[in-house]
Amino acid sequence: MAQAAQTTHATTEAHGGAHEDVGFPPFKTETFAGQVIWLTITFVLLYTLISKLVLPRLSGIIENRRVTIAGDLDEAAAMKSRAEEAGAAYEKALAEAKGRAQSLAQDARAKAATETDAKRKTLEADLAKRLADFEATIAQKKTAAMSNVRGIAHETATAIVERLTGKAPAPQTVEAALDQSKA
C-alpha cells in the first residue's frame, strides 16, 4: 500500500507539482466578482424573458380562464332560473290537472248518482206495480179459494154426517150449521 501512495504522489508531481487543495468554486473569493457579474446578467435575462414572454401569456391564460368561469357561472345561474321556472310551471300544471281531475270525478259521481237514483226510482215503481199486481192476484185467488171453501165444507159435512149416521142430512141443516160456525 505504501507503494501505491508513492505512485500517486509521483503522478501528481509529474503533472506540475504538489497536490493543491481546490475547494468549492462558488466559495472561492478570487472568482467571486465574475460569478456576481454572471449572476446579474443571468438574472436580468431571466427576468426580462419571464416578464416579456411568460407573464403576458400566463396573465392572458388566467384572464381567459376567469372570463370562461364567469360565463359558465352566468350560464349556470340562467339554467337554474329556467329550471326553477320550469318547476313552478310543472307545479302549476300539476295543480290544475288535479283540480280538473277532482272536478271530473265530482261530475262523474253526480252523474252516476243521478242515473242511479233515476234507475232506483224506476225499479221501485216497477216493483211497486208488480207487488200491487201480485197482491191483487193473491186477493182474487184467496176470494176464489174462500168461495170454494164453503162448498167443500158443505160437501165434507154432508159426507161425515152420512157416514156416521148412515143417512144424508138435509141441505138446509148443513147450511144453517155452516152459518153458525161463521158467526
Side-chain angles (χ1 to χ4, degrees):
M1 178 122 149
Q3 196 176 24
Q6 285 178 352
T7 310
T8 306
H9 185 54
T11 313
T12 306
E13 287 179 16
H15 286 301
H19 185 284
E20 186 178 322
D21 190 20
V22 177
F24 189 57
F27 293 148
K28 285 192 164 191
T29 55
E30 301 89 39
T31 60
F32 190 68
Q35 288 177 11
V36 168
I37 290 172
W38 280 109
L39 175 68
T40 306
I41 292 171
T42 306
F43 179 77
V44 169
L45 283 175
L46 283 175
Y47 180 79
T48 305
L49 181 71
I50 288 175
S51 66
K52 299 294 182 191
L53 294 176
V54 175
L55 284 180
R57 282 178 140 181
L58 196 59
S59 64
I61 290 171
I62 290 172
E63 180 63 25
N64 187 20
R65 187 170 275 193
R66 187 191 63 75
V67 168
T68 303
I69 289 172
D72 289 347
L73 287 174
D74 291 342
E75 185 178 343
M79 285 184 174
K80 180 182 178 188
S81 160
R82 283 189 298 230
E84 288 173 352
E85 289 172 1
Y90 169 75
E91 291 297 327
K92 182 180 176 186
L94 183 63
E96 288 174 359
K98 283 182 181 179
R100 281 193 307 254
Q102 287 177 348
S103 174
L104 288 173
Q106 282 181 331
D107 291 346
R109 274 188 292 244
K111 184 178 178 183
T114 304
E115 289 176 1
T116 303
D117 198 34
K119 285 181 182 179
R120 184 183 51 80
K121 286 180 181 179
T122 303
L123 286 174
E124 284 177 353
D126 184 44
L127 288 175
K129 182 180 176 259
R130 283 183 172 182
L131 186 60
D133 290 346
F134 287 135
E135 285 178 356
T137 303
I138 290 171
Q140 287 174 352
K141 299 234 183 210
K142 183 179 177 183
T143 304
M146 292 308 268
S147 66
N148 289 337
V149 168
R150 185 164 181 93
I152 293 170
H154 187 281
E155 289 175 10
T156 305
T158 303
I160 291 173
V161 169
E162 187 178 337
R163 196 155 223 216
L164 289 174
T165 60
K167 80 182 198 173
Q172 295 87 6
T173 310
V174 174
E175 287 291 329
L178 288 174
D179 287 339
Q180 264 186 350
S181 68
K182 227 180 176 188

